[in-house]
């Protein structure tokens, strides 16, 4: 997977210095950089025949030949690894300073620019088999650096909230303020087209936008910068104004050459990338081991079937009888006897006569 904004079908890459391979090394394929150790592709030719054992084991009596082939393979692997390191160093020397200046135009903070360049190259070394065969390795690293520099998560970091001292020259200070006032997408489009010098389709591909949308962003960004800097509107033609703006942006980007000297060395970037990869690998394995341990502990300690808990017995007061009516109380019996006696001793009922 490539960084956001780096499509697979990108245009032809810009110039990238080639690294001469050491004597006896395996030539790399066309338009690709050497791969690091552990990622050497399998040979494309037919496999040798004549042995009935497993792969890499010859017939009886061919131990010397197998030893020579193993030694030759280890030498080739070492050569390819050295060539990958040299190619990475050449890529770092070729574009690290330019990427630092470009990310400074995007952020206005030299500390974040150095961190963005280092993080982008560390990611490139982690995915070097992918970067080595990419059509535009410089664009791959540039997209990774831009994505990290413009990440909104930097707002939560206290170290990145402080703004660097502005440039001493008033024109450069006004231009930097105008760039930082633009939305991130407009700023990135303007830097890619006017500072890096990419064509409009290439800029649209790297910003993951359509060509008309990229042209609209570029026009709006230029208009906003010209509104803050009226001297950029003096040329009559659009081409002259664009050339003047490109020149001013280049002067601003190269205004502090001593700041780029603090970039880490390629060896430090590779070491930090490998250390980070080992740390994350250890974290993943530790988390997996913790989950397995918890699962085994639960498997051993928890019961294998459900056993319902028995509720404790307790006495229930004033419960209704289980069956049959209860005898009436004495006051009810007395009242019933009294009623029966009054009915018998009462006055006689009058009998009607028929006259």
């Amino acid at each position: 997977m490539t960084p956001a904004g780096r499509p697979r079908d990108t245009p032809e890459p810009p110039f990238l210095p080639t690294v001469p391979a050491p004597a006896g090394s395996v030539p790399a394929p066309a338009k690709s950089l050497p791969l690091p150790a552990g990622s050497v592709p399998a040979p494309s030719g037919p496999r040798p025949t004549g042995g009935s054992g497993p792969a890499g084991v010859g017939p009886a009596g061919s131990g010397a030949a197998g030893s020579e082939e193993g030694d030759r393979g280890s030498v080739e692997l070492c050569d390819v690894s050295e060539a990958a390191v040299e190619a990475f160093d050449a890529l770092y020397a070729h574009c690290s300073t330019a990427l630092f200046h470009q990310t400074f135009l995007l952020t206005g903070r030299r500390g974040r620019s150095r961190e963005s360049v280092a993080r982008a190259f560390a990611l490139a070394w982690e995915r070097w088999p992918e970067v080595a065969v990419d059509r535009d390795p410089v664009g791959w690293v540039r997209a990774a650096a831009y994505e990290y520099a413009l990440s909104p998560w930097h707002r939560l970091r206290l170290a990145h909230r402080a703004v660097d001292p502005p440039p001493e020259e008033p024109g450069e200070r006004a231009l930097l303020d105008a760039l930082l006032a633009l939305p991130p997408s407009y700023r990135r489009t303007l830097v890619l087209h006017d500072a890096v010098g990419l064509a409009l389709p290439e800029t649209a591909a790297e910003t993951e936008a359509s060509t008309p949308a990229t042209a609209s962003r570029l026009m709006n960004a230029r208009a906003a910068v010209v509104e803050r800097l009226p001297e950029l509107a003096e040329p009559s033609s659009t081409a002259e104004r664009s050339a003047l703006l490109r020149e001013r942006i280049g002067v601003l980007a190269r205004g502090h050459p001593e700041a780029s000297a603090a970039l880490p060395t390629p060896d430090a970037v590779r070491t930090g990338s490998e250390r980070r990869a080992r740390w994350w690998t250890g974290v993943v394995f530790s988390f997996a081991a913790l989950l397995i341990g918890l699962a085994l502990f639960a498997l051993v300690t928890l019961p294998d079937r459900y056993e319902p808990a028995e509720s404790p017995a307790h006495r229930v007061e004033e419960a209704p009888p289980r069956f049959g009516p209860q005898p009436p109380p004495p006051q009810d019996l007395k009242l019933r006897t009294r009623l029966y006696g009054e009915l018998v001793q009462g006055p006689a009922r009058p009998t009607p006569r028929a006259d």
Side-chain angles (χ1 to χ4, degrees):
M1 181 181 62
T2 59
R6 290 285 301 119
R8 292 289 185 181
D9 50 347
T10 52
E12 287 297 326
F15 169 75
L16 180 63
T18 57
V19 179
S25 62
V26 180
K31 291 187 179 181
S32 62
L33 300 177
L35 301 177
S39 59
V40 181
S44 57
R47 297 179 58 182
T49 58
S52 59
V57 180
S62 62
S67 177
E68 290 182 3
E69 291 179 359
D71 295 342
R72 189 183 305 112
S74 62
V75 172
E76 291 176 356
L77 184 63
C78 181
D79 292 341
V80 171
S81 177
E82 292 178 357
V85 170
E86 293 179 2
F88 178 83
D89 293 351
L91 179 64
Y92 188 88
H94 175 63
C95 61
S96 60
T97 304
L99 280 179
F100 171 77
H101 295 318
Q102 295 166 22
T103 51
F104 174 72
L105 295 176
L106 295 175
T107 61
R109 295 169 173 83
R110 298 179 180 86
R112 190 191 299 182
S113 301
R114 284 190 291 267
E115 186 177 351
S116 301
V117 173
R119 187 63 62 89
F121 275 99
L123 183 62
W125 182 246
E126 291 177 8
R127 305 180 182 179
W128 188 250
E130 176 184 347
V131 180
V133 298
D134 194 88
R135 297 179 61 188
D136 187 7
V138 177
W140 197 101
V141 180
R142 180 176 61 238
Y146 283 19
E147 288 292 333
Y148 184 84
L150 295 176
S151 175
W153 294 104
H154 293 300
R155 302 173 185 174
L156 304 179
R157 302 176 59 182
L158 298 178
H160 289 268
R161 291 183 180 179
V163 182
D164 290 359
E168 297 179 359
E169 205 274 325
E172 296 181 3
R173 182 166 59 251
L175 179 58
L176 182 60
D177 294 340
L179 289 176
L180 297 180
L182 296 174
S185 59
Y186 288 22
R187 198 184 319 153
R188 183 174 183 175
T189 302
L190 184 65
V191 169
L192 285 174
H193 189 274
D194 289 348
V196 181
L198 297 183
L200 193 61
E202 299 174 2
T203 305
E206 189 153 332
T207 56
E208 293 185 335
S210 62
T211 304
T214 304
S216 176
R217 291 178 182 176
L218 183 61
M219 293 175 59
N220 293 333
R222 286 176 176 175
V225 173
V226 170
E227 184 179 357
R228 284 174 168 261
L229 302 174
E231 62 271 15
L232 296 178
E234 295 178 358
S236 57
S237 62
T238 305
E240 293 178 356
R241 287 196 296 269
S242 177
L244 180 58
L245 178 60
R246 184 179 295 108
E247 180 182 357
R248 293 283 301 275
I249 291 177
V251 172
L252 174 62
R254 297 185 299 269
H256 295 272
E258 70 281 355
S260 60
L263 289 174
T265 61
D267 183 63
V269 172
R270 290 195 309 272
T271 304
S273 175
E274 294 169 359
R275 186 185 302 112
R276 187 180 300 108
R278 287 193 298 268
W279 186 84
W280 279 111
T281 303
V283 168
V284 171
F285 275 99
S286 301
F287 186 71
L290 178 62
L291 290 181
I292 294 175
L294 291 177
L296 294 177
F297 178 77
L299 185 63
V300 172
T301 57
L302 294 181
D304 55 352
R305 61 183 180 277
Y306 175 71
E307 297 179 356
E310 297 182 359
S311 58
H314 59 279
R315 185 180 182 84
V316 179
E317 301 292 342
E318 298 181 358
R322 295 184 178 182
F323 57 88
Q326 296 291 329
Q331 59 269 21
D332 292 347
L333 294 176
K334 184 177 180 180
L335 177 61
R336 184 174 60 181
T337 303
R338 178 182 175 184
L339 292 175
Y340 286 165
E342 291 181 355
L343 289 177
V344 174
Q345 298 176 3
R349 177 180 298 179
T351 304
R353 294 181 301 178
D355 292 338

